[in-house]
Amino acid sequence: MHKTKIRALTILALGLALVASGCGKSMNDRNPEATTDEKVTINMMHLWPAAGAPGQHQVVNEIIDEYRAENPNVIIKQEVLDNERYKAKLKVISAVNELPDVGLTWAAGYLQPFVEGQLFTPLDELLQSELQDSFVAGTTEAFTVDGKIYALPLEFNIAPIYYNKQILAKYGLQVPTTYGEFLQIVQTLAANGVKPIALGNKDRWTGSLWYMYLADRIAGTEALTNAIKGTASFTDPGLVEAAKRVQELVDRNAFNEGFNGLSNDEVKVDFISGGAAMYLMGTWELPNYTTNQDIQQSYRDSIGFFKFPTVDGDKSHIDSWVGGPGVGLFVAENSPVKEEAKKFVKYFVKRWGEESVTGAGVIPATKVNTSKLQLPPLYIDLLNEVNSATRFTLFADVQMASGAAEVHLNRIQALFGKEITPEEFAQAHDEAIKTGK
């Protein structure tokens, strides 16, 4: 729940140069690997603050308490930042090779420069233990580079359109299955002074979700995936048409005012308070509509979801989702407590599965038998969607190399702001991906 991707190779190269000159020394001096009688301090950084992700925050603390009870010589210090601040901090500390012993990373293209910079250590040995065969198919592969796994996935996410049942019912609106029906909902709500869609596009990846779904539905999953890989072009007529549809939504006043200047956290509050009817977001947001006791039960009961509708003449399927593995746990290559950090990661992943389901309402990347668990209907319905999905397309900015991802996100914001044409949007992508950075 998901993500401006800040992974510039130039920054990592700078970090390695600084390490070579001694700037990375302090972390290695901090806490050498201790014996069982000595105190060992593991520094952990994550992105689940109590205010923004109370369920996940509580689960993290419960797992840490359990681990410390079994390993009294271990001290685990947490640094907790919200999503965007986390990414910014990771960028800064990677530049001087001062990563925490344990932290969170995204997969694929995001992961690549950290691996190339030798900042993450391989974790293959952890999969040879009781964790073997415990992950949902395809999740560990997303964190694998050149045959080695560099992070263990915690979540699996898809991106539904959440909606407020009470708002739609007030205006006699039904859940749409076609894009035409969806546009009718937008038109009706806008005409009645109701914000159809909550969008905080200051973070940019939020707007990318809308483009990706339109591209998937109009051009097809294969065309979109190949364009992201660079084996096809974003000038594909279907992909250009998707960009046009984005701007048509803007013209229809589908989104809240000032969306390009508002963060996702800001508009999420508006949606939760009933200020907007719909909200396209990953299932990392699911706990706010199921287990978050800070949100009134009456509101949680009013939230449903629907799949992104089919578009006339579409080449994809309504069961094709934008999503995939969420964040995973890494261990820093230069951690002075690397072996203890690996033990903690192994323990954390094992405990995270069921505890994250019952305590936070998260869809985990590990296999969990939910048949005997009492779970909210919304959670069960989305879990069933994950199980029945025909295809997943991983978030574009996660798939792309560092420079191309930044171009993609910037052009997404410009597209929504109508600062560029759909054709210029497509050309900028092809040029960025061609550079291979």
Side-chain angles (χ1 to χ4, degrees):
M1 237 86 318
H2 193 200
K3 349 207 181 186
T4 298
K5 311 308 175 193
I6 32 181
R7 334 170 227 102
L9 285 170
T10 54
I11 291 173
L12 295 180
L14 172 62
L16 293 176
L18 290 171
V19 171
S21 63
C23 292
K25 184 179 179 181
S26 61
M27 186 167 184
N28 288 319
D29 290 344
R30 169 175 56 78
N31 195 354
E33 203 78 56
T35 68
T36 55
D37 297 326
E38 298 174 328
K39 292 293 184 183
V40 175
T41 298
I42 297 174
N43 287 331
M44 179 184 187
M45 193 168 87
H46 67 82
L47 43 66
W48 294 306
Q56 293 97 319
H57 184 85
Q58 180 178 340
V59 170
V60 170
N61 282 282
E62 288 175 354
I63 295 174
I64 287 175
D65 289 345
E66 292 170 6
Y67 188 80
R68 290 207 61 201
E70 296 181 21
N71 301 271
N73 67 307
V74 178
I75 299 169
I76 300 174
K77 293 183 177 179
Q78 298 181 64
E79 182 175 7
V80 189
L81 304 167
D82 63 41
N83 192 76
E84 299 308 311
R85 289 171 59 221
Y86 180 91
K87 294 168 188 171
K89 180 69 179 285
L90 200 63
K91 174 181 178 180
V92 171
I93 59 180
S94 66
V96 291
N97 207 358
E98 286 290 345
L99 293 174
D101 303 301
V102 175
L104 295 174
T105 180
W106 289 267
Y110 186 96
L111 180 76
Q112 187 79 31
F114 291 96
V115 173
E116 293 176 354
Q118 299 182 344
L119 297 176
F120 295 168
T121 197
L123 300 177
D124 301 80
E125 64 192 81
L126 302 185
L127 296 182
Q128 305 307 314
S129 61
E130 58 265 43
L131 290 180
Q132 190 173 17
D133 300 323
S134 63
F135 290 93
V136 174
T139 53
T140 55
E141 288 83 348
F143 292 89
T144 299
V145 179
D146 295 332
K148 294 181 179 180
I149 185 168
Y150 287 90
L152 297 187
L154 295 177
E155 301 175 341
F156 194 92
N157 295 302
I158 56 176
I161 298 179
Y162 300 101
Y163 73 97
N164 189 310
K165 298 175 185 177
Q166 294 177 358
I167 294 177
L168 263 63
K170 180 178 179 180
Y171 296 99
L173 300 169
Q174 303 295 321
V175 169
T177 58
T178 69
Y179 194 66
E181 294 170 350
F182 172 74
L183 291 179
Q184 284 296 321
I185 293 176
V186 169
Q187 179 178 331
T188 300
L189 293 175
N192 284 277
V194 179
K195 285 178 271 189
I197 300 165
L199 174 65
N201 204 34
K202 181 179 179 180
D203 298 332
R204 304 175 298 173
W205 55 266
T206 48
S208 178
L209 295 177
W210 285 95
Y211 170 75
M212 285 196 69
Y213 266 122
L214 286 166
D216 178 86
R217 296 296 190 260
I218 298 170
T221 306
E222 186 174 352
L224 175 60
T225 300
N226 289 340
I228 292 172
K229 290 179 179 178
T231 57
S233 174
F234 271 88
T235 60
D236 176 287
L239 298 180
V240 173
E241 178 62 24
K244 290 179 180 178
R245 297 291 183 107
V246 164
Q247 294 189 331
E248 287 176 4
L249 285 175
V250 173
D251 290 339
R252 288 173 178 265
N253 297 315
F255 308 109
N256 48 268
E257 290 186 8
F259 55 80
N260 262 357
L262 296 172
S263 71
N264 180 54
D265 286 341
E266 289 175 297
V267 302
K268 176 170 62 178
V269 172
D270 192 36
F271 177 68
I272 289 175
S273 64
M278 297 176 285
Y279 179 49
L280 172 56
M281 191 51 53
T283 43
W284 57 80
E285 196 63 32
L286 185 56
N288 280 328
Y289 315 127
T290 54
T291 60
N292 188 348
Q293 298 300 314
D294 293 333
I295 298 175
Q296 291 184 355
Q297 184 67 50
S298 59
Y299 174 80
R300 284 183 274 153
D301 290 342
S302 74
I303 298 301
F305 77 92
F306 58 87
K307 307 171 190 180
F308 199 96
T310 59
V311 181
D312 46 288
D314 62 306
K315 297 182 180 179
S316 184
H317 191 273
I318 199 166
D319 286 325
S320 178
W321 292 86
V322 172
V327 291
L329 283 174
F330 71 79
V331 173
E333 174 62 27
N334 77 327
S335 168
V337 291
K338 188 187 299 185
E339 294 309 310
E340 189 65 50
K342 288 181 180 179
K343 286 173 56 181
F344 172 63
V345 165
K346 175 182 173 182
Y347 184 92
F348 192 100
V349 171
K350 285 171 56 183
R351 299 298 300 128
W352 174 265
E354 186 170 318
E355 289 197 26
S356 67
V357 171
T358 57
V362 168
I363 297 177
T366 46
K367 302 171 185 175
V368 176
N369 182 3
T370 60
S371 61
K372 298 181 179 180
L373 302 177
Q374 294 294 320
L375 299 170
L378 183 63
Y379 180 95
I380 295 173
D381 290 345
L382 278 166
L383 183 62
N384 289 337
E385 292 295 345
V386 170
N387 293 334
S388 63
T390 57
R391 296 189 73 169
F392 298 100
T393 302
L394 187 61
F395 311 103
D397 52 321
V398 174
Q399 289 193 61
M400 292 176 178
S402 171
E406 193 65 15
V407 169
H408 168 71
L409 294 169
N410 286 336
R411 296 303 185 273
I412 281 287
Q413 195 172 59
L415 182 71
F416 275 79
K418 302 191 73 175
E419 299 167 12
I420 58 174
T421 67
E423 291 77 15
E424 290 169 336
F425 175 84
Q427 184 178 359
H429 278 72
D430 283 352
E431 292 174 354
I433 292 171
K434 188 177 180 179
T435 65
K437 296 180 180 179

